[in-house]
Amino acid sequence: MPLFSEEPQIHESVPGPRATPAAGRTAPTPRPVPGPGPRPAPPRGAPASSVRPGKPGPAAPPRGPVAAPPAQRTSSPQPSAGKTGTAAGAQLQLIPAPADGAIDAADEAVDLLLDSGRAPSDILVLTTGETHPWAAHELSFGEASYWAQHDAADDVFYADAGAERATGRPVVVVAVNGGTDDVTAQALPAAMARAGTLLIVCGDPQRINTVLGTPA
């Protein structure tokens, strides 16, 4: 069975703060669904089975199920976000992207998560190849300062997929932007273990499934 099974797409996005992507980069990649939302109430007199089910999740701050979003944005249609699935209690989502566009796709995913009302401290971004520009910049000031920001847990944090010190968060975004097959094969299960409610993987679906030994 493929890592990412075919399922109907869920389209929802809501306004909120937006992260600023790295300068000079564009992200013409599909945007992800921002995770589980509240279950709609059935119309009066309609049987419960006639209502389309939603994803569980009380309105709670960081950690635990996803907070219910405010009003739904209706000004523009939501693009398709690739395949989704469920693993170990966390929603699993694939954003198709080439290796050289995986970081752009990950940044776009973070933008949409923040738009949906996700707290920045909920999000961990991992890279399998070249270090994310934010992490490279912060590491230039020394590892002590860099990891102090991780420990403060008050903003989005970016790290290499192999960084054992990076702890789990409700949402983990993985950019498969290079690295060997062995690195990718180790990074994805580790990221899945770190994700509390949502794991988003940005990369080439065929390579990801091949590396993990699952049929495409």
Side-chain angles (χ1 to χ4, degrees):
M1 175 179 292
L3 175 62
F4 304 98
S5 59
E6 293 287 352
E7 293 184 5
Q9 298 303 302
I10 305 169
H11 305 296
E12 58 181 59
S13 65
V14 290
R18 178 172 292 278
T20 302
R25 294 190 294 114
T26 59
T29 53
R31 305 179 74 193
V33 177
R39 181 182 297 276
R44 179 172 296 180
S49 61
S50 67
V51 180
R52 188 162 134 194
K55 299 277 195 247
R63 193 39 267 181
V66 184
Q72 184 175 10
R73 181 187 302 164
T74 58
S75 58
S76 60
Q78 177 63 40
S80 173
K83 302 176 183 179
T84 60
T86 302
Q91 182 180 346
L92 183 63
Q93 186 171 62
L94 174 65
I95 306 299
D100 61 0
I103 285 183
D104 289 335
D107 287 342
E108 186 76 1
V110 171
D111 282 349
L112 189 60
L113 288 163
L114 295 176
D115 279 348
S116 77
R118 270 289 182 184
S121 58
D122 278 359
I123 305 168
L124 172 67
V125 180
L126 303 173
T127 54
T128 63
E130 184 179 351
T131 301
H132 190 282
W134 182 93
H137 174 75
E138 294 303 319
L139 281 167
S140 70
F141 298 104
E143 289 208 7
S145 172
Y146 170 74
W147 287 110
Q149 295 183 66
H150 168 271
D151 297 340
D154 57 6
D155 205 348
V156 180
F157 191 77
Y158 300 79
D160 289 337
E164 295 183 0
R165 186 168 171 180
T167 57
R169 292 195 178 186
V171 181
V172 176
V173 181
V174 181
V176 184
N177 64 323
T180 65
D181 287 351
D182 286 343
V183 168
T184 302
Q186 294 173 15
L188 296 182
M192 189 180 298
R194 285 177 169 131
T197 59
L198 179 62
L199 172 64
I200 299 173
V201 181
C202 305
D204 177 6
Q206 183 174 0
R207 179 179 181 234
I208 290 168
N209 282 305
T210 298
V211 166
L212 294 179
T214 55

